[in-house]
Each structure stands twice: as structure tokens, then as C-alpha cells.
């Protein structure tokens, strides 16, 4: 799934592969008997036995050779032959023939109309693309005439209604052509397309369904599902077909909603919007399984890549839908160009692509082909990935050698699971020389000389310098195993640490409590290298006691000393969990924050928490981060775990550690993952990724469907500006201004990300 997801952005040209022409239209069974007699009925028959509807099978000479209605037909009559299909079909053509009857027949239908019906609808009178209601029928008793329906009809019942201006006797045989329809059965657009002066971009093909949504919007099918993808500009003069719906920004406020309804619940793979030269700012897709509620956490958001700036081009906007299930799908589009055009919207649902093969032989070959194509592409991409990795690695090797031959090799080649993956990490020695000093600069900007002390005896004896490995990254487990691990994380967790360890730093001003003054209670949380316990400092001050796990003293001690340094630099701030001091073993005594980690709080809440709450949490977080930014402290490993909720339901952040050598992979900026760069700008990414998770009610993590390997690959691809690289898409819970800022946090170029100061501004209003 993940792999396909990455791919989808690449192969645009197969958009039409699933289009209506490919549905493999076939005769639905008037001739061959797939349609039973009971499914063929009529308004009346001249004689049930000899010319009843059961005789209306094309190319057959049954009884008297056709169906003939009882009365003669004139301009006022309504007689029909009705075919009741088992299911909803896409009917692409109707074929008719007169009555031959071994040479005795003289009757045929020269014109007819078509009425149809599908689940939930009334009878709808068919009108073709050029607005004709009257179809041309036969001109003799023998020749079958096939009328291609443009647009095709989505129906489960169809009536062929003979028509004649002058009174005449008619008889008819018929066949319907089509294929199983699995797609949209109704859609409604709010607002409707725009008409300005001579420019009419309304949905003029919309069927006359006489159906409306609760809010009075027409429901039915039209241009967006007619199977015709226009390739010419909407503004082209000789536009014979109504091919485009257009929305004008001034009349629509640049915001449109389209609701798509399906007959069953589908698992959607993706949706393709065939558009023309628009600047689409944001697309949100939200799903409803019961048809009534649209649970917020089902929402998928997507914004346009920067490349699509060509305003005179038709292109497909593809949104991967991550196999979300739904019976109704609402798509909200925000655009900032003058016009927004759509010619077609096409959904793909994976589950049913394979299922259809049982019922519909014609579709199976298409499905197989598709799978083959996808497999082929996957293989190709894997190959490219491997080649790319090898190239990068070689490049790094060369570069590294030329820079400093004394430094240990600058990369680690890793095997993850059974997939080889080659990634570049900086070696411990190089890192500790480069980054550690930078760390010191930032953390100890003012008191560099005096405050660095070295070494607690306990640590120095047992801790050796080790190169970083995959273990140095804190991997939230891949999606499969997440139930057990991810969401059961600790209250004030420290999940990460790092390899290279050089010295323990301690600031003299740090308050030190004798162990005898502490009452240490039960464990309230556990990180990868640390344990947090309840603690009461003698005299009644409740706190959180954080110590390293025995076997992880290297990482834990480094992490804790970094944290100590950062917190000392921070001083007291209402939105940052306070450091009270340390005990004799330099374990940390931290502020005890009432409700612990915001994620646990969110997950424990049975009802979705409202946007107001989210905004408030974000505001608190950005206040804290703007403060850190102002005093030059890099947090370094921000995740939702670092957001704690106090008794007033305000947030405090915890555990700033500075630019250290470890990563919370899923939340880290690409430069942090690949190059170990940790700055305020990489913090901006990490905080935005955490906001993303909260905006999804903590039920969808960033890159939810990506394995760790894919996240690293994706980070490489992002830094390499590859078009298939993916960034998290912020859902539209926030207002436009905030959304724009948060979206900018996921820019690859750090300089384009906003500062925390800028980010905080809109939250303060
Ligand atoms: C329609 O349904 C009947 C039973 O309800 C079944 O026997 C028949 O094969 C179905 N016809 C088609 C075309 O699927
Ligand atoms: C036409 O001929 C066939 C075979 O001879 C016969 O079964 C059928 O009843 C005839 N139909 C009519 C309308 O006479
Ligand atoms: C609509 O139907 C009329 C009458 O059958 C036909 O002449 C015309 O070509 C049809 N238009 C399209 C687009 O199929
Ligand atoms: C109009 O529609 C028909 C049938 O779909 C197509 O063959 C034709 O090329 C279209 N014309 C234009 C100008 O798009
Ligand atoms: C959708 O997918 C889920 C798991 O991927 C599966 O359990 C469910 O049955 C699927 N539903 C449909 C309607 O295909
Ligand atoms: C897109 O085009 C507009 C106007 O032609 C230009 O101002 C803008 O910078 C372009 N954006 C990109 C990303 O190329
Ligand atoms: C925009 O797209 C059209 C059609 O694909 C192409 O002919 C034109 O060269 C493109 N313009 C730019 C600036 O890319
Ligand atoms: C046409 C088809 O196979 N539709 C199926 C889509 O998936 C749902 C759930 O698996 C089935 O109930 C439909 O029959």
C-alpha cells in the first residue's frame, strides 16, 4: 500500500485506463438469456402470449417475433418496454430492432425515449449530450440499430418508450449494452458552477433527477462522472461539448464542496480530479460510512505541489485515499486562481477492483493488466531507489574521504528487515566534534567558559563511545504493531537518545536534593532509555523523577545532561515543565504535570475534542517554542509526547534537549533524519508534525502508512527534490492563515519555514 501510494503521484497517464470505454461494455443479456423473462416487463401488450415483453429479445424470433404495446402510439402515449437489471449498471448503448416475424411483420419503432431509475431515484428522462431526448430508432423490420448513449446512463432499470407524432402501431425487439457500475451514483456541488456574462460553466449535463440534498442542492450525475475527460481549454471557442464545470473565485469565495454518494461502502485507493490550470490550494477529502456522519479523523488533506503553475494545461490532481472506507465522500476544494475547472472526478477503490473479476469477465483482464502495470512500476521504482541509494552512498564516501581521512567512515549501510537500505549517518566522532560544539554554543551562549564541568564517575566508567546505529533512532513501530506500543507511551516520556557521548555537563547553580529528602513512588512513564517515577520532595512538592535505565546509561545520561542544560538555560516559563533540581545521582526532578502527555489524554477522550481545544493547545505550544527560539534553545526531538496537559488543560512542553544526535523519525524534518541537522527550523517541522497528529485527534500519525525505511527514503527524496516525495498534508481544521503557516513548516527548504514567532501570531487572535 505505501509503495503504491508513493507511486501514484508519478504515473499520470493511466488516468483514463479505468474510464468508461474500458468498462468492457457488453450485451447485458436480452439475446443470450442472462436477463430472464421475469426481468422484462411492459406497460401493456397487444397479446401477452404472442407479442408480450418476453418476446422482445434482439435477434430472436420468439412467438410472433417482438413486443407490441396494446394501443397504437401517438404523441401523447406512454407505453414502454422495461428491463429490470439485477444491479446498478452503466448503460452505454441501446440497440433496437423491428418485428420481422418470418416476413409477416411490418412494425418498428422509428423514435424512442429512455427513462431510467437507480437506487433512491425516481424515473429520470434521458437527455443526451446535445440535449436530445428523442433517440433515432429503426427504419425497417430487420436491421438492428445501436444508439450509443453519450453520456452513458447509470441505472438499475431502464424503459424504452416508443414515440411517434402520428398515430401508428409499433413493435420492438431490444438489447441493452453496458457493464457493472461501481462508482458514484449521485453527486452534488455546492455551489453550482458559475455563469458570468457569456461564460457559462454550469453543469449543463446534469440529469433531470428532481432530487435534492437536505440543503436543497441538486443530486444526480452530470459532467463530473460522464466519462468524458476534456482535453481542450474551457475557454476555447468551438467547445461543442459542455465539458467543464467552472467556479469563479469572486462568486464562490474560492471554496467549493462536492459530495459523492456510492451504493455500498468502498475502500478507496485514490481519487483523480481532472482539472485545468488551476491553482488548487487545498483539497480535503472526508468520508462517511453511515451516510450521515463524517468523522473528522477520516479526513485526508492534500495541497498542490509547486510545479503545477502552468495555467494553460489540463492535468490530473491525484489524492491517495489510503484505503479509507466510505459510502459518501465529501471533497472540499480551496483555490486562489480566478477560476477553478473540473471535467471529471474518478474514484478507484482497491477492494472491488479484484472482486469484480468474478462477476464480470471483461473487467478481469483490465484488472490483471492494472496489477501487472503496478507491479512493474513497483519493481522499477525499487530498482531506482536502490540505484539512487548506492549513488548517494558512493558520493558520500568520496566526499568524506576527501574531507578528512582520519574521521571514521561517514556512513552506515543497514539492512532493515529483508530490504536492503543504504543511508547516510554521520559517524560518532565526526558528530561529536562538529555538533557538540555547536550545541554548546547555543545552549551556553553566555556562560560558556565557566559552566562546563565534566563527568560523573558512574557514567564515565561504564559508558563508552559508540557509533550511532539504527538503535539511535527512536522508531515508533510500523503500523502493524502500533496497537501495542505507540499509544501506550509514557506520561513524560523520553524515548530517544543518541550515540556519541563525550562529557557530562553540570551547572553549579543546579539545585541538588539529598536522596533522603525524596520519596520515590511508582513508575508513571518509561522512555527508551529513561524511567519516570512519581516523587515527592520532602515537604510535599510533587514531582516527576527521571532516571536512566541501567543498561542504557550511555544514551540516558547524555539525554539527561542535555535536558538539564537546556532547562537551566530556559529558566522558569509557565509553558515549559520546570526543572526543580537533581538528586545525588543527577537524576532529574521535574515538574509533575497533572494529565501527562496530550496524546494519552486525547486517546482516552471518548468524544472528539473540538477545534477550540486544539487551537488552545497549539497556542500554548507555540508560546513555549517561540520562547525557546528567543533564547536560542533548540528543542531537538519534539513529538506529541513532549506536550503535557496541566490541571487547567493548558499545555506545557517538556524535555528540550538541544541539537543532539537522535531523531524521532516520524516527526523529524528531512534534514534531521538524513544529515543530523537540528535547528529551530527543524523544530518547526517537528512541532507541525505533532500538530498534524493532534489535528487528527491523535488517531493518525505523520506518515501513518509509511514504515521507518520508507520514511528515511522519503526524507532522502525530499532533500533531493524528487517530485514523488511526500510531506504531511495538514487537515483544514484551522483557519486559512494558520493553515498556510503550518503548511509552510513542511517545506524542504528550511528558510521557507516560518519562525515560531510568526507561527504564534495567528494563534494569539
Ligand atoms: C439476476 O438475478 C437472478 C436471481 O435473482 C439470477 O439468477 C440471474 O443470474 C441474475 N442475472 C444477472 C444478469 O446477473
Ligand atoms: C418463424 O419460423 C420459426 C421456424 O420455422 C417458427 O418456429 C416461428 O414460430 C415462426 N414465427 C412466426 C412469427 O411465424
Ligand atoms: C443525441 O441524440 C440525437 C438523436 O439520436 C443524435 O442525433 C445526436 O447525435 C446525439 N448526440 C450525441 C452527442 O450523441
Ligand atoms: C465532444 O464529444 C465527443 C464524444 O465524446 C468527442 O468525440 C468530441 O471530440 C468532443 N468534441 C470536443 C470539441 O471536445
Ligand atoms: C476495507 O479494508 C479493510 C481492511 O483493509 C477490510 O477489513 C474491510 O473489509 C474492507 N472493506 C471493504 C468494504 O472492502
Ligand atoms: C507561478 O506563476 C506566477 C505568475 O505567472 C508566479 O508569480 C509564481 O511565482 C509562479 N510560481 C511558481 C512556484 O513557479
Ligand atoms: C503549459 O502547458 C502547455 C500544455 O501542456 C504547454 O504547451 C506549455 O508549454 C506549458 N507552459 C509552460 C510555461 O510550462
Ligand atoms: C462489484 C463488487 O464486487 N462490489 C463489492 C465491493 O466491496 C464490497 C465489500 O467488500 C462488496 O460488498 C461489494 O459487492
Amino acid at each position: 500500500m505505501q509503495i503504491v501510494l508513493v507511486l501514484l503521484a508519478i504515473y499520470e497517464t493511466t488516468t483514463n485506463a479505468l474510464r468508461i470505454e474500458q468498462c468492457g461494455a457488453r450485451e447485458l443479456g436480452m439475446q443470450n438469456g442472462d436477463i430472464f423473462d421475469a426481468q422484462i416487463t411492459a406497460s401493456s401488450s397487444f397479446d401477452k402470449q404472442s407479442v408480450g415483453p418476453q418476446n422482445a429479445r434482439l435477434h430472436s424470433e420468439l412467438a410472433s417475433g417482438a413486443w407490441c404495446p396494446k394501443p397504437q402510439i401517438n404523441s401523447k402515449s406512454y407505453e414502454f418496454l422495461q428491463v429490470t437489471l439485477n444491479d446498478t449498471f452503466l448503460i452505454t448503448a441501446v440497440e433496437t430492432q423491428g418485428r420481422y416475424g418470418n416476413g409477416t411483420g411490418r412494425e418498428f419503432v422509428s423514435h424512442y425515449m429512455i427513462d431510467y431509475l437507480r437506487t433512491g431515484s425516481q424515473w429520470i428522462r434521458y437527455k443526451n449530450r446535445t440535449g436530445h431526448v428523442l433517440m433515432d430508432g429503426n427504419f425497417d423490420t430487420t436491421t438492428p440499430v445501436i444508439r450509443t448513449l453519450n453520456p452513458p446512463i447509470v441505472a438499475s432499470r431502464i424503459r424504452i418508450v416508443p414515440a411517434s407524432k402520428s398515430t401508428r402501431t409499433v413493435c420492438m425487439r431490444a438489447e441493452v449494452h453496458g457493464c457493472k457500475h461501481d462508482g458514484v451514483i449521485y453527486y452534488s456541488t455546492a455551489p453550482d458552477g458559475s455563469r458570468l456574462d457569456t461564460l457559462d460553466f454550469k453543469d449543463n449535463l446534469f440529469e433531470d433527477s428532481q432530487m435534492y440534498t437536505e440543503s436543497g442542492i441538486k443530486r444526480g450525475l452530470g459532467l463530473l462522472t460522464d466519462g468524458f475527460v476534456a482535453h481542450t481549454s474551457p475557454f476555447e471557442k468551438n467547445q461543442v461539448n459542455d465539458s467543464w464545470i467552472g467556479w469563479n473565485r469572486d462568486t464562490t469565495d474560492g471554496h467549493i464542496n462536492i459530495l459523492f454518494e456510492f451504493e455500498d461502502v468502498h475502500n478507496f485507493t485514490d481519487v483523480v480530479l481532472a482539472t485545468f490550470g488551476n491553482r488548487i490550494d487545498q483539497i480535503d477529502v472526508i468520508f462517511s460510512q453511515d451516510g450521515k456522519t463524517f468523522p473528522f479523523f477520516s479526513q485526508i488533506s492534500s495541497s498542490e505541489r509547486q510545479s503545477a503553475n502552468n495555467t494553460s494545461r489540463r492535468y490530473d490532481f491525484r489524492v491517495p485515499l489510503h484505503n479509507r472506507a466510505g459510502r459518501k465522500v465529501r471533497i472540499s476544494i480551496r483555490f486562489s486562481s480566478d477560476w477553478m475547472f473540473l471535467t471529471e472526478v474518478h474514484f478507484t477503490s482497491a477492494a472491488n477492483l479484484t472482486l469484480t473479476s468474478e462477476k464480470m469477465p471483461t473487467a478481469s483482464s483490465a484488472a490483471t493488466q492494472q496489477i501487472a502495470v503496478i507491479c512493474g512500476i513497483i519493481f522499477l521504482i525499487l530498482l531506482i531507489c536502490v540505484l539512487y541509494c548506492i549513488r548517494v552512498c558512493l558520493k558520500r564516501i568520496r566526499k568524506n574521504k576527501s574531507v578528512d581521512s582520519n574521521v571514521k567512515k561517514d556512513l552506515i549501510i543497514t539492512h532493515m528487515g529483508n530490504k536492503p537500505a543504504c543511508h547516510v549517518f554521520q559517524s560518532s566522532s565526526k558528530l561529536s566534534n562538529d555538533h557538540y560544539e555547536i550545541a554548546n554554543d547555543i545552549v551556553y551562549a553566555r556562560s560558556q567558559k565557566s559552566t562546563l564541568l565534566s563527568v560523573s564517575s558512574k557514567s564515565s566508567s561504564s559508558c563508552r563511545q559508540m557509533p550511532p546505529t539504527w538503535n539511535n533512532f527512536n522508531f515508533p513501530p510500523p503500523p502493524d504493531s502500533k496497537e501495542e506500543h505507540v499509544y501506550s507511551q509514557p506520561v513524560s516520556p523520553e524515548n530517544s537518545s543518541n550515540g556519541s557521548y563525550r562529557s557530562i555537563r553540570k551547572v553549579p547553580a543546579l539545585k541538588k536534593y539529598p536522596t533522603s529528602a525524596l520519596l520515590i513512588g511508582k513508575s508513571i512513564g518509561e522512555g527508551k532509555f529513561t524511567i519516570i517515577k512519581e516523587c515527592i520532595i520532602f515537604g510535599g512538592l510533587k514531582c516527576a523523577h527521571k532516571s536512566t535505565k541501567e543498561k542504557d546509561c550511555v544514551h540516558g545520561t547524555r539525554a539527561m545532561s542535555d535536558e538539564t542544560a537546556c532547562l537551566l538555560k530556559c529558566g522558569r516559563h509557565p509553558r515549559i515543565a520546570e526543572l526543580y533540581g537533581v538528586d545525588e545521582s543527577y537524576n532529574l526532578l521535574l515538574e509533575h504535570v497533572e494529565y501527562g502527555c496530550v496524546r494519552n489524554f486525547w486517546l482516552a477522550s471518548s468524544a472528539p475534542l473540538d477545534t477550540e481545544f486544539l487551537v488552545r493547545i497549539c497556542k500554548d505550544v507555540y508560546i513555549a517554542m517561540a520562547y525557546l527560539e528567543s533564547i536560542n534553545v533548540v528543542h531537538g526531538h519534539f513529538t506529541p509526547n513532549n506536550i503535557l496537559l496541566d490541571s487547567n488543560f493548558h499545555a506545557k512542553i517538556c524535555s528540550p534537549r538541544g541539537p543532539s544526535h537522535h531523531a524521532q523519525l516520524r516527526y523529524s524534518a528531512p534534514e534531521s533524519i538524513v544529515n543530523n541537522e537540528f535547528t529551530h527550523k527543524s523544530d518547526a517541522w517537528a512541532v507541525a508534525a505533532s500538530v498534524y497528529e493532534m489535528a487528527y485527534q491523535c488517531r493518525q500519525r505523520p506518515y501513518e502508512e509509511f514504515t521507518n525505511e520508507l520514511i528515511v527514503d522519503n526524507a532522502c527524496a525530499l532533500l533531493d527534490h524528487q517530485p514523488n516525495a511526500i510531506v504531511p498534508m495538514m487537515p483544514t481544521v484551522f483557519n486559512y492563515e494558520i493553515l498556510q503557516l503550518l503548511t509552510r513548516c513542511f517545506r524542504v527548504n528550511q528558510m521557507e519555514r516560518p519562525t515560531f514567532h510568526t507561527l504564534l501570531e495567528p494563534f494569539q487572535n
Side-chain angles (χ1 to χ4, degrees):
M1 177 59 206
Q2 298 95 331
I3 296 176
V4 175
L5 188 143
V6 178
L7 287 176
L8 288 172
I10 309 174
Y11 73 120
E12 280 197 8
T13 45
T14 51
T15 317
N16 289 320
L18 290 172
R19 299 256 165 245
I20 284 160
E21 303 82 57
Q22 300 254 323
C23 88
R26 63 197 167 102
E27 292 159 0
L28 289 181
M30 293 290 278
Q31 291 173 74
N32 66 16
D34 280 357
I35 295 173
F36 296 117
D37 282 353
Q39 292 174 260
I40 311 168
T41 52
S43 52
S44 69
S45 306
F46 187 79
D47 178 80
K48 265 260 155 53
Q49 201 68 40
S50 57
V51 287
Q54 72 279 7
N55 301 318
R57 298 177 184 276
L58 198 86
H59 289 303
S60 311
E61 291 288 344
L62 300 163
S64 292
W67 162 72
C68 310
K70 187 167 195 150
Q72 289 189 307
I73 298 297
N74 60 37
S75 59
K76 293 207 177 79
S77 52
Y78 184 68
E79 296 292 331
F80 57 82
L81 177 73
Q82 175 174 325
V83 180
T84 304
L85 298 163
N86 283 2
D87 214 329
T88 306
F89 282 81
L90 186 73
I91 298 167
T92 56
V94 168
E95 193 171 2
T96 56
Q97 202 176 17
R99 184 178 83 89
Y100 178 61
N102 293 343
T104 63
R106 279 172 288 120
E107 307 82 7
F108 55 89
V109 169
S110 60
H111 294 93
Y112 60 89
M113 299 177 287
I114 298 173
D115 288 345
Y116 60 95
L117 161 160
R118 62 176 172 273
T119 313
S121 84
Q122 318 256 311
W123 287 96
I124 304 169
R125 175 63 49 88
Y126 178 72
K127 188 175 70 177
N128 77 8
R129 193 179 291 275
T130 41
H132 293 82
V133 170
L134 224 48
M135 302 290 116
D136 294 329
N138 302 98
F139 45 86
D140 65 21
T141 58
T142 52
T143 319
V145 172
I146 187 162
R147 281 281 155 243
T148 302
L149 301 178
N150 178 14
I153 293 173
V154 175
S156 54
R157 291 183 199 186
I158 182 167
R159 285 176 179 175
I160 301 171
V161 183
S164 173
K165 281 213 175 76
S166 52
T167 305
R168 62 185 287 177
T169 307
V170 297
C171 296
M172 181 173 69
R173 289 176 285 173
E175 175 67 279
V176 282
H177 298 249
C179 58
K180 177 88 181 59
H181 179 78
D182 229 3
V184 177
I185 58 167
Y186 299 102
Y187 73 79
S188 40
T189 60
D192 202 359
S194 312
R195 183 185 297 156
L196 287 184
D197 299 331
T198 55
L199 294 173
D200 181 0
F201 288 114
K202 286 187 176 303
D203 191 343
N204 290 321
L205 202 62
F206 208 76
E207 65 190 357
D208 187 17
S209 66
Q210 300 295 328
M211 295 178 70
Y212 300 90
T213 62
E214 278 161 17
S215 43
I217 299 157
K218 277 192 302 186
R219 277 169 82 212
L221 295 177
L223 275 179
L224 296 186
T225 52
D226 66 352
F228 177 69
V229 182
H231 283 274
T232 53
S233 157
F235 296 109
E236 197 158 284
K237 278 278 185 298
N238 312 331
Q239 191 81 18
V240 295
N241 302 323
D242 285 315
S243 325
W244 294 99
I245 308 183
W247 289 269
N248 184 274
R249 194 189 46 207
D250 297 334
T251 58
T252 63
D253 218 16
H255 188 191
I256 53 181
N257 280 301
I258 313 178
L259 178 70
F260 294 91
E261 300 175 44
F262 293 81
E263 206 158 12
D264 314 301
V265 174
H266 287 250
N267 281 351
F268 294 102
T269 316
D270 63 16
V271 58
V272 174
L273 300 122
T275 68
F276 185 88
N278 321 127
R279 291 290 297 169
I280 295 177
D281 296 326
Q282 170 110 7
I283 295 181
D284 296 313
V285 187
I286 190 161
F287 302 82
S288 173
Q289 291 196 40
D290 60 7
K292 294 193 179 68
T293 53
F294 288 81
F296 178 68
F297 57 79
S298 73
Q299 180 165 318
I300 288 174
S301 300
S302 183
S303 25
E304 178 158 61
R305 306 257 155 68
Q306 284 151 20
S307 60
N309 198 24
N310 192 338
T311 51
S312 55
R313 191 170 76 94
R314 213 206 59 61
Y315 67 95
D316 293 336
F317 199 104
R318 185 185 296 268
V319 184
L321 298 183
H322 304 246
N323 235 23
R324 289 272 202 290
R327 180 193 301 278
K328 292 189 183 176
V329 181
R330 192 169 61 217
I331 299 188
S332 307
I333 302 173
R334 286 181 181 279
F335 62 98
S336 54
S337 50
D338 290 344
W339 286 91
M340 155 81 211
F341 290 105
L342 284 177
T343 176
E344 190 80 358
V345 176
H346 186 81
F347 289 86
T348 316
S349 43
N352 284 10
L353 207 69
T354 45
L355 278 179
T356 45
S357 59
E358 286 171 31
K359 287 185 186 167
M360 228 182 70
T362 38
S364 74
S365 65
T368 321
Q369 269 175 19
Q370 275 255 318
I371 291 165
V373 166
I374 290 175
C375 288
I377 294 178
I378 288 174
F379 179 77
L380 216 88
I381 297 288
L382 282 179
L383 200 75
I384 292 171
C385 285
V386 168
L387 288 178
Y388 167 70
C389 277
I390 291 173
R391 206 196 70 198
V392 169
C393 290
L394 288 177
K395 212 158 76 185
R396 295 287 174 127
I397 291 172
R398 267 186 244 119
K399 194 168 139 200
N400 189 42
K401 274 186 180 158
S402 67
V403 170
D404 184 356
S405 53
N406 293 329
V407 172
K408 272 192 240 161
K409 277 220 176 67
D410 209 3
L411 58 100
I412 294 169
I413 296 172
T414 326
H415 282 259
M416 293 289 295
N418 46 11
K419 272 195 217 140
C422 172
H423 302 298
V424 184
F425 303 134
Q426 291 185 292
S427 73
S428 57
S429 53
K430 180 139 187 277
L431 184 95
S432 50
N433 291 336
D434 287 345
H435 292 242
Y436 216 63
E437 292 311 317
I438 294 168
N440 292 347
D441 277 352
I442 291 179
V443 176
Y444 293 101
R446 275 183 229 122
S447 50
Q448 198 169 1
K449 283 173 201 130
S450 59
T451 53
L452 284 184
L453 291 184
S454 63
V455 188
S456 114
S457 58
K458 164 190 154 195
S459 316
S460 61
S461 58
S462 57
C463 298
R464 281 169 295 114
Q465 188 167 311
M466 284 185 285
T469 68
W470 278 93
N471 289 334
N472 295 95
F473 288 79
N474 175 40
F475 296 132
D480 308 358
S481 51
K482 76 179 176 198
E483 298 304 337
E484 286 153 51
H485 307 293
V486 173
Y487 291 139
S488 59
Q489 280 182 359
V491 169
S492 174
E494 300 317 326
N495 298 328
S496 49
S497 186
N498 61 78
S500 65
Y501 170 73
R502 214 170 52 138
S503 64
I504 292 284
R505 298 167 294 176
K506 186 176 80 70
V507 178
L510 194 56
K511 191 158 184 186
K512 202 159 156 186
Y513 292 89
T515 308
S516 59
L518 303 174
L519 192 62
I520 295 179
K522 65 174 196 290
S523 166
I524 50 174
E526 189 169 320
K528 200 172 179 194
F529 310 116
T530 53
I531 288 181
I532 298 149
K533 291 181 179 154
E534 252 179 17
C535 167
I536 292 173
I537 299 177
F538 207 65
L541 181 60
K542 201 169 177 188
C543 69
H545 177 269
K546 184 191 272 189
S547 55
T548 61
K549 291 182 186 170
E550 209 38 57
K551 63 178 167 43
D552 282 314
C553 86
V554 181
H555 309 296
T557 314
R558 162 75 186 275
M560 296 219 312
S561 68
D562 284 349
E563 187 172 332
T564 312
C566 277
L567 283 171
L568 281 175
K569 176 101 193 270
C570 292
R572 290 176 74 161
H573 186 278
R575 303 270 63 90
I576 299 176
E578 192 181 342
L579 173 68
Y580 296 142
V582 294
D583 67 9
E584 285 166 354
S585 315
Y586 292 96
N587 295 318
L588 305 190
L589 301 172
L590 296 158
E591 180 177 354
H592 184 274
V593 183
E594 187 74 19
Y595 290 106
C597 162
V598 74
R599 180 195 278 148
N600 293 345
F601 182 83
W602 226 297
L603 289 174
S605 150
S606 52
L609 296 172
D610 60 17
T611 307
E612 209 175 302
F613 181 75
L614 173 64
V615 167
R616 172 159 131 172
I617 299 298
C618 292
K619 178 179 168 186
D620 291 341
V621 167
Y622 280 113
I623 287 173
M625 294 307 291
Y627 171 71
L628 290 189
E629 185 178 61
S630 72
I631 59 168
N632 260 338
V633 170
V634 171
H635 188 287
H637 68 145
F638 201 93
T639 74
N641 284 339
N642 299 116
I643 306 172
L644 309 179
L645 267 191
D646 69 13
S647 49
N648 300 319
F649 300 103
H650 273 289
K652 287 177 189 273
I653 64 163
C654 64
S655 311
R657 293 232 186 103
S660 37
H661 173 239
H662 53 69
Q664 287 272 355
L665 199 58
R666 213 166 271 282
Y667 303 89
S668 291
E671 72 273 10
S672 305
I673 295 174
V674 179
N675 299 328
N676 280 314
E677 273 179 53
F678 293 88
T679 60
H680 296 304
K681 298 296 190 181
S682 62
D683 274 354
W685 177 299
V687 174
S690 305
V691 170
Y692 168 98
E693 180 166 324
M694 290 191 292
Y696 276 111
Q697 302 276 334
C698 289
R699 276 155 178 91
Q700 176 170 312
R701 299 168 305 161
Y703 297 115
E704 178 71 41
E705 315 213 0
F706 275 36
T707 59
N708 293 324
E709 303 93 280
L710 272 176
I711 293 176
V712 177
D713 290 348
N714 187 57
C716 286
L718 279 170
L719 290 180
D720 211 31
H721 298 286
Q722 289 183 21
N724 60 329
I726 280 172
V727 299
M729 300 295 180
M730 196 62 78
T732 43
V733 266
F734 300 103
N735 69 33
Y736 189 71
E737 187 187 358
I738 292 178
L739 198 64
Q740 292 298 95
L741 281 175
L742 289 174
T743 303
R744 272 172 53 203
C745 292
F746 296 129
R747 292 277 169 83
V748 176
N749 180 352
Q750 297 178 42
M751 290 305 109
E752 291 174 13
R753 293 178 207 152
T755 61
F756 284 112
H757 183 75
T758 312
L759 278 160
L760 176 58
E761 272 169 21
F763 283 103
Q764 281 178 326
N765 305 324

